Amino acid sequence: MWMSTLARVARPALQRSTSAVACQAGRACRRPGHAAGPLPSRPTLTHVRGQQTLVSASPPEARQTSAQARQLLITDLDIHSGIHSVEVINDNKVSVVWPDQHTSVFDAEWLKKRCFSSAARQSLQEELFLNERHHWDSELRIPTGDFQEVLRDDEAALAWLSALRRVGIVCLKGAPTERGQVARLAERIGYLRLTFYGHTWQVQDKHMANNLAYTSKKLSLHTDYPALHFSPGVQFVHCISQAVEGGESEMVDGFHMAELLQREDPEAHRTLTSTLVDFTDTGRDYCDFLLQSKKYIIEVDREGRVQRININHATRDSVLDLPVRQVQPFYRAMRAFADIMNRPENLLDYRMEPGDMLTFDNWRLLHGRKSYVTGPDSSRHLEGAYLDWDEVMSRLRILRKSVNKRA
Ligand code: OGA
Ligand code: NM2
Ligand code: ZN
């Protein structure tokens, strides 16, 4: 049952990317064997020389096989390399003899994938990074999986990570209601991200709390840890026990909200993508810390695509490094962004139950919680951990290979 909810959101990206690679790259590079031809988008000779080949007839081999790493030094590469001869050989392979008599044999599919046409580049980049996102609002039914199944079954783990990438949030149900489960799940991927709050951290109403999260107060929509210049990419939060009153979670799709802001209030969007904001965090936990960072509230790449959202009003510094005339416009822009996020049609409400493990994209989602009541015999307890996207994407790619091989 649960697989169907994950598969629905996880599959389209995978299917689209693999089929698109085959057909678009194929169309753009119809003649892989004719490496010296005039089409500008095909791999160039300089580029192809020194790449991984199926056969390398004269030493040194371009790639050292155990490390899968290029050995040819850039200083030894003839950037005007010509070609002695090229032929298509059996099994759809392309054999190239270079002027120095070195022979390389390439798989035609491998060459096609590396075609420089924009269609081929786009589809290979999508296959590698899965940057296509499914935007959502309050109507989202959170993709759900089974905690134990994800631990033991590769197909379930792949569906989980694909949905986590595409939708930004997956709830895994049925985790034992005791500490240690976020660490087990992190092991499934590789390793977790250590921060000043420890390898894993306990969200509880604590005496002398060193973070607002460790009280019973409301947390407004935020991303975790903008006080770190490289904030954690992924967050796991496991509900061990829930409050009797209050403590409900709120979530919003930050990438979607940034898009709405750009459409509705381009001036505010410009302000939040171009103003560096100071964050700070100080105290003692894993060890003592005194962090300072400068971040854009909405981080975009050179093409204007949103990469990351950084918001936490609890750790936004009282220091604001702006000329005074920019202060009011900055607050106006922050307020405009917050007002969009807090619209009921954008905000997703969820009440975590003991055994729920929320896994979400901390570069994309904002999350919050309602205040709660700590009673003499009721205590709320969540355990959390961070991971980075590199490790998560690494596991996703490995699982994709192994699961697809079996299919
Ligand atoms: C946090 C946090 C959510 C919750 O600890 O940063 O967002 O429900 N906690 O307590
Ligand atoms: N905790 C939950 O940015 C933040 O301070 C997020 C981090 C305390 C590890 C809270
Ligand atoms: Zn948080």
Side-chain angles (χ1 to χ4, degrees):
M1 193 273 283
W2 70 271
M3 259 300 287
S4 63
T5 93
L6 271 188
R8 208 182 45 240
V9 289
R11 287 238 174 88
L14 292 181
Q15 281 173 352
R16 230 194 332 275
S17 65
T18 42
S19 54
V21 164
C23 75
Q24 292 177 346
R27 221 179 303 136
C29 313
R30 277 180 307 269
R31 301 177 307 147
H34 300 262
L39 274 184
S41 60
R42 282 176 291 117
T44 69
L45 290 175
T46 311
H47 180 69
V48 164
R49 180 69 208 261
Q51 300 294 341
Q52 182 177 34
T53 61
L54 299 170
V55 172
S56 248
S58 67
E61 278 188 76
R63 284 200 174 233
Q64 202 265 343
T65 40
S66 63
Q68 289 285 300
R70 181 182 296 108
Q71 282 200 122
L72 184 77
L73 303 176
I74 187 82
T75 43
D76 291 340
L77 178 69
D78 174 5
I79 61 161
H80 302 294
S81 178
I83 205 164
H84 182 265
S85 62
V86 58
E87 63 174 325
V88 177
I89 53 177
N90 54 344
D91 276 351
N92 222 8
K93 306 256 187 303
V94 180
S95 167
V96 176
V97 181
W98 303 97
D100 62 1
Q101 296 308 304
H102 180 92
T103 301
S104 311
V105 177
F106 298 96
D107 188 288
E109 283 303 315
W110 186 96
L111 278 177
K112 266 200 256 177
K113 271 199 168 186
R114 284 149 185 81
C115 174
F116 286 100
S117 77
S118 82
R121 277 164 46 213
Q122 214 179 320
S123 87
L124 182 53
Q125 290 300 305
E126 180 54 25
E127 185 187 329
L128 294 175
F129 295 103
L130 298 177
N131 276 332
E132 229 178 84
R133 303 313 216 285
H134 164 86
H135 285 184
W136 49 264
D137 56 23
S138 63
E139 303 279 296
L140 177 76
R141 278 170 47 216
I142 298 179
T144 301
D146 182 83
F147 179 77
Q148 304 290 357
E149 200 164 359
V150 159
L151 287 184
R152 67 166 183 264
D153 181 73
D154 280 357
E155 226 170 293
L158 176 61
W160 163 48
L161 294 181
S162 303
L164 175 61
R165 182 67 177 172
R166 193 170 166 75
V167 184
I169 180 164
V170 174
C171 179
L172 300 179
K173 296 208 161 266
T177 48
E178 59 195 33
R179 282 172 66 156
Q181 307 313 308
V182 287
R184 266 175 94 196
L185 192 60
E187 286 282 310
R188 180 68 166 107
I189 287 174
Y191 47 86
L192 47 76
R193 163 97 181 260
L194 175 62
T195 70
F196 285 123
Y197 289 100
H199 293 91
T200 72
W201 26 270
Q202 313 306 317
V203 181
Q204 285 168 309
D205 188 6
K206 296 178 190 171
H207 178 63
M208 296 291 286
N210 62 3
N211 192 287
L212 189 62
Y214 298 159
T215 68
S216 58
K217 290 192 167 48
K218 173 187 166 79
L219 298 179
S220 63
L221 289 169
H222 65 280
T223 58
D224 270 26
Y225 240 146
L228 290 173
H229 279 110
F230 191 77
S231 52
V234 170
Q235 186 167 162
F236 294 167
V237 186
H238 173 215
C239 180
I240 294 173
S241 60
Q242 182 55 287
V244 174
E245 201 183 326
E248 294 86 359
S249 312
E250 290 182 329
M251 258 104 40
V252 75
D253 180 351
F255 286 7
H256 186 198
M257 296 307 104
E259 190 182 77
L260 291 185
L261 183 70
Q262 185 168 28
R263 207 181 306 152
E264 295 181 17
D265 192 341
E267 183 59 41
H269 185 266
R270 216 169 2 259
T271 301
L272 298 186
T273 52
S274 63
T275 307
L276 277 173
V277 177
D278 290 74
F279 290 91
T280 186
D281 199 18
T282 178
R284 170 182 293 274
D285 202 309
Y286 184 76
C287 63
D288 49 342
F289 53 92
L290 206 174
L291 283 170
Q292 290 291 146
S293 72
K294 298 179 86 73
K295 304 288 259 305
Y296 298 106
I297 299 289
I298 303 173
E299 266 184 70
V300 294
D301 66 11
R302 282 161 175 272
E303 278 77 43
R305 285 177 302 229
V306 56
Q307 300 292 296
R308 236 173 260 132
I309 307 288
N310 301 294
I311 296 186
N312 189 336
H313 297 291
T315 59
R316 191 160 52 75
D317 205 345
S318 52
V319 172
L320 187 52
D321 183 17
L322 289 180
V324 69
R325 67 190 151 74
Q326 287 179 27
V327 172
Q328 191 64 23
F330 166 70
Y331 279 103
R332 190 199 74 78
M334 285 295 271
R335 185 57 198 264
F337 199 22
D339 287 346
I340 290 178
M341 285 177 203
N342 282 296
R343 285 180 195 156
E345 73 259 29
N346 292 328
L347 212 51
L348 183 72
D349 291 308
Y350 186 75
R351 185 179 165 82
M352 287 187 89
E353 299 297 340
D356 283 3
M357 171 88 69
L358 282 184
T359 63
F360 60 92
D361 184 343
N362 187 55
W363 284 358
R364 171 176 170 190
L365 263 69
L366 291 99
H367 61 284
R369 71 146 188 250
K370 304 214 167 110
S371 64
Y372 61 91
V373 178
T374 312
D377 37 33
S378 80
S379 63
R380 185 179 188 267
H381 181 191
L382 311 181
E383 186 178 32
Y386 299 122
L387 283 90
D388 280 318
W389 268 115
D390 280 317
E391 289 75 6
V392 176
M393 289 303 290
S394 163
R395 178 58 55 206
L396 194 161
R397 293 185 196 103
I398 290 171
L399 287 167
R400 191 171 54 183
K401 260 193 193 168
S402 63
V403 168
N404 288 348
K405 204 179 284 167
R406 264 185 273 138

